[in-house]
Amino acid sequence: MHFNLRYSMNIQTLLETKVKEGFIILFETTIPSVEFQATRKDFEGDITIVIFPMLRYKKGNPVQIGGSIGKYLVENIEEVVSYNVVKGFLNLVIDDRFYLQSFYTTFNQESYGLCSDSKNVVMVEYSSPNTNKPLHLGHVRNNLLGYSVAEILKASGNKVYKTQIINDRGIHICKSMLAWKKYGNSETPESKGMKGDSFVGFYYVKFNDIYKKEINNLISDGLSEEEAKKQAPILIEAQKMLLKWEAGDPETVALWKMMNEWVYDGFKITYQNLGVNFDTLYYESDTYLLGKDVIEDGLTREVFFKKDDGSVWCDLTDEGLDEKLVLRSDGTAVYMTQDIGTAIQRVKDHSDINGMVYTVGNEQDYHFKVLFLILKKLGFSWAAQLYHLSYGMVDLPSGKMKSREGTVVDADELMQEMTDTAKNISQELGKLDGYSDDEKIDLYRMIGLGALKYFILKVDPKKRILFDPKSSVDFQGNTGPFIQYTYARIQSILRKASFKYDEPVDIAGVSLHTKEKELIKQIELYPDIIQQAAKNFSPALIANYTYDLVKEFNSFYQNVSILGETDETKKTIRVQLASKVAEIIKSAFSLLGIDVPNRM
RNA sequence: GGCCUCGUGGCGCAACUGAAUAGCGCACUGGAUUUCGGCUCCAGCGGUUAUAGGUUUGAAUCCUAUCGGGGUCACCA
């Protein structure tokens, strides 16, 4: 128990100060920093100090220098038991009791790994769908990423507002509206027994079918393809409808409201199934006129300039980019104008915000680069804290998803398929005696969605994903269900552990099994992983960490007996380790938006 | 074509942002349970990190060129 004072300081900080101190004493040289690594499995040791960078300050043989430092550390730090040097790497063996003791400093800590500060306030935007069709696989990735990053930011010490901007107006909605008006026969989602968003999406497809036919007719009448696309009567009609909407025509607005409500009813169900949510909503119909006054203001401050035809531009050539249009010659807004206005509006609505995250696919990289630059030029203090959470596309084996060509993977159907697969597997292998049918249904959903979410989130957001719905998603190896299974198995052990294990044991004289020590090391990484994941906006780091933890646990589980251990102290420690691992799995998975089962 | 981005065993992913013999899963081969849930564990097979140069004590990682994939270059959103 005599290490107590030092546990507040972690071993790495302690080592760093001692290495620096040793360097002065041994070589009369100061070094600015010390580089650490976890010792590779094939060498003896727990923590490794890399000697190479030190050679810049003290010329010499890295093995000799490493040896001197190692000797110094063993002599001056009780926790350092021994050392060995391989090439330029100084491997240190740390006392078992240190690991046990530091395990116990966090053992009873509530919400271990999470940081409760909220000095920084961030708004995270994700999803932001158009309201003319249901959500598809691409939206699924967006939603999972956005939700998870928001949760990670919270866990790492930020206050977070989750938001989305619903693209509820524009030509795409008018297309669905027009097709319904012409061919809908006053049908409703209810009368058809359809989900509202699918119902509206059906008419969007209908519109495109007719549009395509009209184009072909015009082409055979001798028009060029380009001309035909512009002159198709149904398109012209849709454009007229948009103008009517903009003019506030009561009938058009009423139709628009009705159809949007249908879509929202559908989205609500999809979001619920997906397990995502929002703190505040923005609608494009409210924001699409924003931003124009800012452009005027920017014009007087010479952030922008006006061309002869009256259009307004921002010159970004100094930044290596082009000139960018911010206001049309007729004075109307473009996408960029809206985005500028909306960003400003958000800060007005939530005055504590000092940063924003936009979850949008990487095809808009350029747009956000420009948007952020313009906001910076306009002089907003929060403009430095904007982040485009850019993610790669989700491709199918057949290639790109095209909504007009019907090759999209529908979000609702996908979730249903995953749930069905989970059901088939669980019925064969599950231990569900005594579960009611409702409980079973919940469980299948939990596993199916766990598989889907983990599959998508374990990949670095920036990378594109190839998704094969046929071969579906694995349930073995580095997968959500594998991790859920480990959790359920630990719960089974904890149910059987009919003794008290919530207090630290007396660690004097206790020595650790290698597997126990490795497990503790892995457990201790969790808080830092959360910080890294937040810094990199990457749920993938959480996912892969959790998998490593689980693998380490399973290896431990296979190598030592937990409840069968006869030494009471050891048995208690092992149950404690297991319960801590379960706690972290649950915590980490909640950051990914994945639930964990007590049995499966 | 200009700009951006990616290229790691058959397939799917890692590599703490420059360090040890490039890790893991699937698949394949062979093992492990009188034991706490075998959806587990252990081992084997398999890579010149697209190619060619360069910087560095050290490169999958940084620089240059080439090849290949994707994105983007609208008074669309």
PDB file of all heavy atoms in Angstrom, chain B residues 12-23:
ATOM      1  P     G B  12     -12.040  -6.347 -50.234  1.00  0.00           P
ATOM      2  OP1   G B  12     -12.889  -5.393 -50.983  1.00  0.00           O
ATOM      3  OP2   G B  12     -10.573  -6.207 -50.306  1.00  0.00           O
ATOM      4  O5'   G B  12     -12.468  -6.325 -48.704  1.00  0.00           O
ATOM      5  C5'   G B  12     -13.849  -6.475 -48.354  1.00  0.00           C
ATOM      6  C4'   G B  12     -13.997  -6.427 -46.855  1.00  0.00           C
ATOM      7  O4'   G B  12     -13.381  -7.590 -46.264  1.00  0.00           O
ATOM      8  C3'   G B  12     -13.284  -5.263 -46.179  1.00  0.00           C
ATOM      9  O3'   G B  12     -14.037  -4.074 -46.273  1.00  0.00           O
ATOM     10  C2'   G B  12     -13.169  -5.779 -44.746  1.00  0.00           C
ATOM     11  O2'   G B  12     -14.402  -5.695 -44.065  1.00  0.00           O
ATOM     12  C1'   G B  12     -12.845  -7.252 -44.987  1.00  0.00           C
ATOM     13  N9    G B  12     -11.396  -7.478 -45.025  1.00  0.00           N
ATOM     14  C8    G B  12     -10.580  -7.546 -46.123  1.00  0.00           C
ATOM     15  N7    G B  12      -9.323  -7.746 -45.820  1.00  0.00           N
ATOM     16  C5    G B  12      -9.312  -7.822 -44.436  1.00  0.00           C
ATOM     17  C6    G B  12      -8.240  -8.027 -43.524  1.00  0.00           C
ATOM     18  O6    G B  12      -7.047  -8.193 -43.764  1.00  0.00           O
ATOM     19  N1    G B  12      -8.683  -8.022 -42.197  1.00  0.00           N
ATOM     20  C2    G B  12      -9.985  -7.839 -41.802  1.00  0.00           C
ATOM     21  N2    G B  12     -10.208  -7.857 -40.496  1.00  0.00           N
ATOM     22  N3    G B  12     -10.994  -7.652 -42.639  1.00  0.00           N
ATOM     23  C4    G B  12     -10.590  -7.653 -43.929  1.00  0.00           C
ATOM     24  P     C B  13     -13.290  -2.639 -46.043  1.00  0.00           P
ATOM     25  OP1   C B  13     -14.315  -1.681 -45.606  1.00  0.00           O
ATOM     26  OP2   C B  13     -12.490  -2.375 -47.246  1.00  0.00           O
ATOM     27  O5'   C B  13     -12.291  -2.925 -44.833  1.00  0.00           O
ATOM     28  C5'   C B  13     -11.875  -1.885 -43.997  1.00  0.00           C
ATOM     29  C4'   C B  13     -11.577  -2.436 -42.627  1.00  0.00           C
ATOM     30  O4'   C B  13     -11.111  -3.802 -42.713  1.00  0.00           O
ATOM     31  C3'   C B  13     -10.446  -1.711 -41.882  1.00  0.00           C
ATOM     32  O3'   C B  13     -10.925  -0.537 -41.253  1.00  0.00           O
ATOM     33  C2'   C B  13     -10.008  -2.760 -40.882  1.00  0.00           C
ATOM     34  O2'   C B  13     -10.871  -2.825 -39.784  1.00  0.00           O
ATOM     35  C1'   C B  13     -10.143  -4.052 -41.706  1.00  0.00           C
ATOM     36  N1    C B  13      -8.886  -4.432 -42.358  1.00  0.00           N
ATOM     37  C2    C B  13      -7.836  -4.926 -41.570  1.00  0.00           C
ATOM     38  O2    C B  13      -8.009  -5.027 -40.344  1.00  0.00           O
ATOM     39  N3    C B  13      -6.668  -5.271 -42.152  1.00  0.00           N
ATOM     40  C4    C B  13      -6.516  -5.155 -43.469  1.00  0.00           C
ATOM     41  N4    C B  13      -5.355  -5.500 -43.988  1.00  0.00           N
ATOM     42  C5    C B  13      -7.553  -4.646 -44.298  1.00  0.00           C
ATOM     43  C6    C B  13      -8.715  -4.303 -43.711  1.00  0.00           C
ATOM     44  P     A B  14      -9.943   0.694 -41.079  1.00  0.00           P
ATOM     45  OP1   A B  14     -10.799   1.822 -40.729  1.00  0.00           O
ATOM     46  OP2   A B  14      -9.035   0.810 -42.241  1.00  0.00           O
ATOM     47  O5'   A B  14      -9.105   0.329 -39.775  1.00  0.00           O
ATOM     48  C5'   A B  14      -7.912  -0.352 -39.866  1.00  0.00           C
ATOM     49  C4'   A B  14      -7.388  -0.690 -38.513  1.00  0.00           C
ATOM     50  O4'   A B  14      -6.926  -2.050 -38.568  1.00  0.00           O
ATOM     51  C3'   A B  14      -6.173   0.146 -38.083  1.00  0.00           C
ATOM     52  O3'   A B  14      -6.552   1.266 -37.336  1.00  0.00           O
ATOM     53  C2'   A B  14      -5.374  -0.854 -37.263  1.00  0.00           C
ATOM     54  O2'   A B  14      -5.903  -0.969 -35.948  1.00  0.00           O
ATOM     55  C1'   A B  14      -5.639  -2.152 -38.020  1.00  0.00           C
ATOM     56  N9    A B  14      -4.696  -2.395 -39.123  1.00  0.00           N
ATOM     57  C8    A B  14      -4.946  -2.334 -40.476  1.00  0.00           C
ATOM     58  N7    A B  14      -3.908  -2.630 -41.225  1.00  0.00           N
ATOM     59  C5    A B  14      -2.911  -2.910 -40.310  1.00  0.00           C
ATOM     60  C6    A B  14      -1.564  -3.293 -40.457  1.00  0.00           C
ATOM     61  N6    A B  14      -0.994  -3.465 -41.643  1.00  0.00           N
ATOM     62  N1    A B  14      -0.840  -3.476 -39.342  1.00  0.00           N
ATOM     63  C2    A B  14      -1.434  -3.299 -38.140  1.00  0.00           C
ATOM     64  N3    A B  14      -2.687  -2.942 -37.869  1.00  0.00           N
ATOM     65  C4    A B  14      -3.385  -2.761 -39.012  1.00  0.00           C
ATOM     66  P     A B  15      -5.685   2.634 -37.453  1.00  0.00           P
ATOM     67  OP1   A B  15      -6.171   3.544 -36.398  1.00  0.00           O
ATOM     68  OP2   A B  15      -5.681   3.078 -38.868  1.00  0.00           O
ATOM     69  O5'   A B  15      -4.208   2.175 -37.089  1.00  0.00           O
ATOM     70  C5'   A B  15      -3.862   1.825 -35.750  1.00  0.00           C
ATOM     71  C4'   A B  15      -2.441   1.338 -35.723  1.00  0.00           C
ATOM     72  O4'   A B  15      -2.324   0.148 -36.543  1.00  0.00           O
ATOM     73  C3'   A B  15      -1.417   2.302 -36.319  1.00  0.00           C
ATOM     74  O3'   A B  15      -1.016   3.283 -35.381  1.00  0.00           O
ATOM     75  C2'   A B  15      -0.290   1.359 -36.688  1.00  0.00           C
ATOM     76  O2'   A B  15       0.465   0.981 -35.558  1.00  0.00           O
ATOM     77  C1'   A B  15      -1.068   0.144 -37.194  1.00  0.00           C
ATOM     78  N9    A B  15      -1.299   0.216 -38.652  1.00  0.00           N
ATOM     79  C8    A B  15      -2.417   0.674 -39.303  1.00  0.00           C
ATOM     80  N7    A B  15      -2.319   0.622 -40.617  1.00  0.00           N
ATOM     81  C5    A B  15      -1.053   0.107 -40.834  1.00  0.00           C
ATOM     82  C6    A B  15      -0.334  -0.196 -42.003  1.00  0.00           C
ATOM     83  N6    A B  15      -0.829  -0.007 -43.231  1.00  0.00           N
ATOM     84  N1    A B  15       0.909  -0.690 -41.873  1.00  0.00           N
ATOM     85  C2    A B  15       1.404  -0.867 -40.655  1.00  0.00           C
ATOM     86  N3    A B  15       0.827  -0.634 -39.463  1.00  0.00           N
ATOM     87  C4    A B  15      -0.410  -0.147 -39.631  1.00  0.00           C
ATOM     88  P     C B  16      -0.731   4.753 -35.997  1.00  0.00           P
ATOM     89  OP1   C B  16      -1.886   5.070 -36.830  1.00  0.00           O
ATOM     90  OP2   C B  16       0.627   4.767 -36.572  1.00  0.00           O
ATOM     91  O5'   C B  16      -0.734   5.686 -34.713  1.00  0.00           O
ATOM     92  C5'   C B  16      -1.931   6.318 -34.308  1.00  0.00           C
ATOM     93  C4'   C B  16      -1.942   6.479 -32.816  1.00  0.00           C
ATOM     94  O4'   C B  16      -1.909   5.167 -32.206  1.00  0.00           O
ATOM     95  C3'   C B  16      -0.719   7.190 -32.234  1.00  0.00           C
ATOM     96  O3'   C B  16      -0.839   8.593 -32.297  1.00  0.00           O
ATOM     97  C2'   C B  16      -0.696   6.673 -30.810  1.00  0.00           C
ATOM     98  O2'   C B  16      -1.625   7.341 -29.992  1.00  0.00           O
ATOM     99  C1'   C B  16      -1.154   5.222 -31.013  1.00  0.00           C
ATOM    100  N1    C B  16       0.001   4.304 -31.156  1.00  0.00           N
ATOM    101  C2    C B  16       0.626   3.841 -29.995  1.00  0.00           C
ATOM    102  O2    C B  16       0.195   4.207 -28.896  1.00  0.00           O
ATOM    103  N3    C B  16       1.686   3.016 -30.104  1.00  0.00           N
ATOM    104  C4    C B  16       2.136   2.645 -31.307  1.00  0.00           C
ATOM    105  N4    C B  16       3.182   1.835 -31.367  1.00  0.00           N
ATOM    106  C5    C B  16       1.517   3.115 -32.502  1.00  0.00           C
ATOM    107  C6    C B  16       0.452   3.937 -32.385  1.00  0.00           C
ATOM    108  P     U B  17       0.526   9.465 -32.033  1.00  0.00           P
ATOM    109  OP1   U B  17       1.720   8.718 -32.412  1.00  0.00           O
ATOM    110  OP2   U B  17       0.449   9.996 -30.661  1.00  0.00           O
ATOM    111  O5'   U B  17       0.218  10.672 -33.030  1.00  0.00           O
ATOM    112  C5'   U B  17       1.291  11.190 -33.711  1.00  0.00           C
ATOM    113  C4'   U B  17       1.564  10.407 -34.980  1.00  0.00           C
ATOM    114  O4'   U B  17       0.378   9.703 -35.443  1.00  0.00           O
ATOM    115  C3'   U B  17       2.001  11.299 -36.149  1.00  0.00           C
ATOM    116  O3'   U B  17       2.882  10.529 -36.986  1.00  0.00           O
ATOM    117  C2'   U B  17       0.674  11.517 -36.884  1.00  0.00           C
ATOM    118  O2'   U B  17       0.815  11.905 -38.195  1.00  0.00           O
ATOM    119  C1'   U B  17       0.049  10.138 -36.734  1.00  0.00           C
ATOM    120  N1    U B  17      -1.416  10.117 -36.908  1.00  0.00           N
ATOM    121  C2    U B  17      -2.205  10.779 -36.001  1.00  0.00           C
ATOM    122  O2    U B  17      -1.776  11.376 -35.038  1.00  0.00           O
ATOM    123  N3    U B  17      -3.533  10.726 -36.267  1.00  0.00           N
ATOM    124  C4    U B  17      -4.168  10.088 -37.315  1.00  0.00           C
ATOM    125  O4    U B  17      -5.395  10.131 -37.400  1.00  0.00           O
ATOM    126  C5    U B  17      -3.280   9.414 -38.225  1.00  0.00           C
ATOM    127  C6    U B  17      -1.956   9.460 -37.986  1.00  0.00           C
ATOM    128  P     G B  18       3.953  11.276 -37.918  1.00  0.00           P
ATOM    129  OP1   G B  18       4.588  12.304 -37.056  1.00  0.00           O
ATOM    130  OP2   G B  18       3.234  11.684 -39.132  1.00  0.00           O
ATOM    131  O5'   G B  18       5.023  10.211 -38.345  1.00  0.00           O
ATOM    132  C5'   G B  18       4.604   8.866 -38.640  1.00  0.00           C
ATOM    133  C4'   G B  18       5.731   7.940 -38.283  1.00  0.00           C
ATOM    134  O4'   G B  18       6.850   8.257 -39.149  1.00  0.00           O
ATOM    135  C3'   G B  18       6.233   8.113 -36.854  1.00  0.00           C
ATOM    136  O3'   G B  18       6.780   6.920 -36.317  1.00  0.00           O
ATOM    137  C2'   G B  18       7.409   9.073 -37.006  1.00  0.00           C
ATOM    138  O2'   G B  18       8.354   8.991 -35.988  1.00  0.00           O
ATOM    139  C1'   G B  18       7.960   8.576 -38.342  1.00  0.00           C
ATOM    140  N9    G B  18       8.839   9.545 -38.998  1.00  0.00           N
ATOM    141  C8    G B  18       8.834  10.915 -38.886  1.00  0.00           C
ATOM    142  N7    G B  18       9.799  11.482 -39.546  1.00  0.00           N
ATOM    143  C5    G B  18      10.484  10.420 -40.135  1.00  0.00           C
ATOM    144  C6    G B  18      11.642  10.425 -40.956  1.00  0.00           C
ATOM    145  O6    G B  18      12.299  11.381 -41.328  1.00  0.00           O
ATOM    146  N1    G B  18      11.987   9.137 -41.327  1.00  0.00           N
ATOM    147  C2    G B  18      11.326   7.990 -40.946  1.00  0.00           C
ATOM    148  N2    G B  18      11.810   6.855 -41.397  1.00  0.00           N
ATOM    149  N3    G B  18      10.247   7.979 -40.178  1.00  0.00           N
ATOM    150  C4    G B  18       9.897   9.218 -39.806  1.00  0.00           C
ATOM    151  P     A B  19       5.860   5.690 -35.969  1.00  0.00           P
ATOM    152  OP1   A B  19       4.700   5.653 -36.843  1.00  0.00           O
ATOM    153  OP2   A B  19       5.696   5.697 -34.516  1.00  0.00           O
ATOM    154  O5'   A B  19       6.813   4.492 -36.375  1.00  0.00           O
ATOM    155  C5'   A B  19       6.916   3.417 -35.497  1.00  0.00           C
ATOM    156  C4'   A B  19       8.217   2.720 -35.745  1.00  0.00           C
ATOM    157  O4'   A B  19       9.321   3.654 -35.884  1.00  0.00           O
ATOM    158  C3'   A B  19       8.589   1.796 -34.595  1.00  0.00           C
ATOM    159  O3'   A B  19       9.211   0.658 -35.137  1.00  0.00           O
ATOM    160  C2'   A B  19       9.566   2.643 -33.776  1.00  0.00           C
ATOM    161  O2'   A B  19      10.528   1.830 -33.117  1.00  0.00           O
ATOM    162  C1'   A B  19      10.277   3.451 -34.856  1.00  0.00           C
ATOM    163  N9    A B  19      10.705   4.776 -34.419  1.00  0.00           N
ATOM    164  C8    A B  19       9.933   5.802 -33.935  1.00  0.00           C
ATOM    165  N7    A B  19      10.606   6.907 -33.692  1.00  0.00           N
ATOM    166  C5    A B  19      11.899   6.583 -34.023  1.00  0.00           C
ATOM    167  C6    A B  19      13.095   7.308 -33.999  1.00  0.00           C
ATOM    168  N6    A B  19      13.168   8.582 -33.612  1.00  0.00           N
ATOM    169  N1    A B  19      14.210   6.686 -34.388  1.00  0.00           N
ATOM    170  C2    A B  19      14.148   5.416 -34.782  1.00  0.00           C
ATOM    171  N3    A B  19      13.083   4.614 -34.869  1.00  0.00           N
ATOM    172  C4    A B  19      11.975   5.268 -34.474  1.00  0.00           C
ATOM    173  P     A B  20       8.258  -0.547 -35.588  1.00  0.00           P
ATOM    174  OP1   A B  20       8.004  -0.383 -37.018  1.00  0.00           O
ATOM    175  OP2   A B  20       7.156  -0.813 -34.653  1.00  0.00           O
ATOM    176  O5'   A B  20       9.361  -1.668 -35.406  1.00  0.00           O
ATOM    177  C5'   A B  20      10.674  -1.478 -35.941  1.00  0.00           C
ATOM    178  C4'   A B  20      11.603  -2.436 -35.252  1.00  0.00           C
ATOM    179  O4'   A B  20      11.651  -2.110 -33.846  1.00  0.00           O
ATOM    180  C3'   A B  20      11.162  -3.889 -35.341  1.00  0.00           C
ATOM    181  O3'   A B  20      12.330  -4.697 -35.454  1.00  0.00           O
ATOM    182  C2'   A B  20      10.512  -4.160 -33.994  1.00  0.00           C
ATOM    183  O2'   A B  20      10.615  -5.491 -33.566  1.00  0.00           O
ATOM    184  C1'   A B  20      11.334  -3.254 -33.079  1.00  0.00           C
ATOM    185  N9    A B  20      10.590  -2.827 -31.891  1.00  0.00           N
ATOM    186  C8    A B  20       9.509  -1.981 -31.823  1.00  0.00           C
ATOM    187  N7    A B  20       9.074  -1.774 -30.609  1.00  0.00           N
ATOM    188  C5    A B  20       9.921  -2.527 -29.825  1.00  0.00           C
ATOM    189  C6    A B  20       9.998  -2.736 -28.439  1.00  0.00           C
ATOM    190  N6    A B  20       9.164  -2.172 -27.570  1.00  0.00           N
ATOM    191  N1    A B  20      10.957  -3.551 -27.977  1.00  0.00           N
ATOM    192  C2    A B  20      11.788  -4.114 -28.851  1.00  0.00           C
ATOM    193  N3    A B  20      11.836  -3.995 -30.177  1.00  0.00           N
ATOM    194  C4    A B  20      10.870  -3.186 -30.601  1.00  0.00           C
ATOM    195  P     U B  21      12.881  -5.046 -36.902  1.00  0.00           P
ATOM    196  OP1   U B  21      14.221  -5.650 -36.732  1.00  0.00           O
ATOM    197  OP2   U B  21      12.690  -3.856 -37.788  1.00  0.00           O
ATOM    198  O5'   U B  21      11.843  -6.154 -37.329  1.00  0.00           O
ATOM    199  C5'   U B  21      11.854  -6.617 -38.673  1.00  0.00           C
ATOM    200  C4'   U B  21      10.802  -7.687 -38.814  1.00  0.00           C
ATOM    201  O4'   U B  21      11.187  -8.830 -38.001  1.00  0.00           O
ATOM    202  C3'   U B  21       9.406  -7.274 -38.337  1.00  0.00           C
ATOM    203  O3'   U B  21       8.443  -7.919 -39.159  1.00  0.00           O
ATOM    204  C2'   U B  21       9.325  -7.867 -36.945  1.00  0.00           C
ATOM    205  O2'   U B  21       8.010  -8.154 -36.548  1.00  0.00           O
ATOM    206  C1'   U B  21      10.120  -9.164 -37.140  1.00  0.00           C
ATOM    207  N1    U B  21      10.670  -9.720 -35.897  1.00  0.00           N
ATOM    208  C2    U B  21       9.916 -10.687 -35.248  1.00  0.00           C
ATOM    209  O2    U B  21       8.837 -11.038 -35.663  1.00  0.00           O
ATOM    210  N3    U B  21      10.474 -11.183 -34.103  1.00  0.00           N
ATOM    211  C4    U B  21      11.683 -10.841 -33.560  1.00  0.00           C
ATOM    212  O4    U B  21      12.048 -11.388 -32.526  1.00  0.00           O
ATOM    213  C5    U B  21      12.413  -9.842 -34.287  1.00  0.00           C
ATOM    214  C6    U B  21      11.885  -9.333 -35.409  1.00  0.00           C
ATOM    215  P     A B  22       7.753  -7.273 -40.384  1.00  0.00           P
ATOM    216  OP1   A B  22       7.562  -8.265 -41.442  1.00  0.00           O
ATOM    217  OP2   A B  22       8.477  -6.011 -40.697  1.00  0.00           O
ATOM    218  O5'   A B  22       6.324  -6.897 -39.789  1.00  0.00           O
ATOM    219  C5'   A B  22       6.184  -5.934 -38.750  1.00  0.00           C
ATOM    220  C4'   A B  22       4.831  -5.296 -38.836  1.00  0.00           C
ATOM    221  O4'   A B  22       4.768  -4.465 -40.013  1.00  0.00           O
ATOM    222  C3'   A B  22       3.683  -6.298 -39.019  1.00  0.00           C
ATOM    223  O3'   A B  22       3.223  -6.751 -37.766  1.00  0.00           O
ATOM    224  C2'   A B  22       2.634  -5.467 -39.723  1.00  0.00           C
ATOM    225  O2'   A B  22       1.919  -4.637 -38.814  1.00  0.00           O
ATOM    226  C1'   A B  22       3.489  -4.562 -40.600  1.00  0.00           C
ATOM    227  N9    A B  22       3.664  -5.060 -41.966  1.00  0.00           N
ATOM    228  C8    A B  22       4.730  -5.711 -42.495  1.00  0.00           C
ATOM    229  N7    A B  22       4.603  -6.009 -43.772  1.00  0.00           N
ATOM    230  C5    A B  22       3.349  -5.520 -44.094  1.00  0.00           C
ATOM    231  C6    A B  22       2.621  -5.512 -45.285  1.00  0.00           C
ATOM    232  N6    A B  22       3.068  -6.026 -46.428  1.00  0.00           N
ATOM    233  N1    A B  22       1.397  -4.945 -45.264  1.00  0.00           N
ATOM    234  C2    A B  22       0.943  -4.425 -44.117  1.00  0.00           C
ATOM    235  N3    A B  22       1.540  -4.364 -42.936  1.00  0.00           N
ATOM    236  C4    A B  22       2.754  -4.933 -42.994  1.00  0.00           C
ATOM    237  P     G B  23       3.647  -8.153 -37.234  1.00  0.00           P
ATOM    238  OP1   G B  23       4.994  -8.079 -36.689  1.00  0.00           O
ATOM    239  OP2   G B  23       3.359  -9.137 -38.291  1.00  0.00           O
ATOM    240  O5'   G B  23       2.658  -8.342 -36.002  1.00  0.00           O
ATOM    241  C5'   G B  23       1.440  -8.973 -36.201  1.00  0.00           C
ATOM    242  C4'   G B  23       0.339  -8.100 -35.633  1.00  0.00           C
ATOM    243  O4'   G B  23       0.222  -6.887 -36.415  1.00  0.00           O
ATOM    244  C3'   G B  23      -1.030  -8.759 -35.726  1.00  0.00           C
ATOM    245  O3'   G B  23      -1.236  -9.592 -34.605  1.00  0.00           O
ATOM    246  C2'   G B  23      -1.975  -7.577 -35.785  1.00  0.00           C
ATOM    247  O2'   G B  23      -2.153  -6.993 -34.514  1.00  0.00           O
ATOM    248  C1'   G B  23      -1.149  -6.589 -36.638  1.00  0.00           C
ATOM    249  N9    G B  23      -1.428  -6.738 -38.074  1.00  0.00           N
ATOM    250  C8    G B  23      -0.559  -7.152 -39.052  1.00  0.00           C
ATOM    251  N7    G B  23      -1.086  -7.143 -40.257  1.00  0.00           N
ATOM    252  C5    G B  23      -2.375  -6.692 -40.053  1.00  0.00           C
ATOM    253  C6    G B  23      -3.423  -6.458 -40.981  1.00  0.00           C
ATOM    254  O6    G B  23      -3.419  -6.611 -42.210  1.00  0.00           O
ATOM    255  N1    G B  23      -4.573  -5.998 -40.361  1.00  0.00           N
ATOM    256  C2    G B  23      -4.696  -5.781 -39.014  1.00  0.00           C
ATOM    257  N2    G B  23      -5.876  -5.354 -38.589  1.00  0.00           N
ATOM    258  N3    G B  23      -3.730  -5.998 -38.120  1.00  0.00           N
ATOM    259  C4    G B  23      -2.607  -6.434 -38.721  1.00  0.00           C
TER     260        G B  23
END
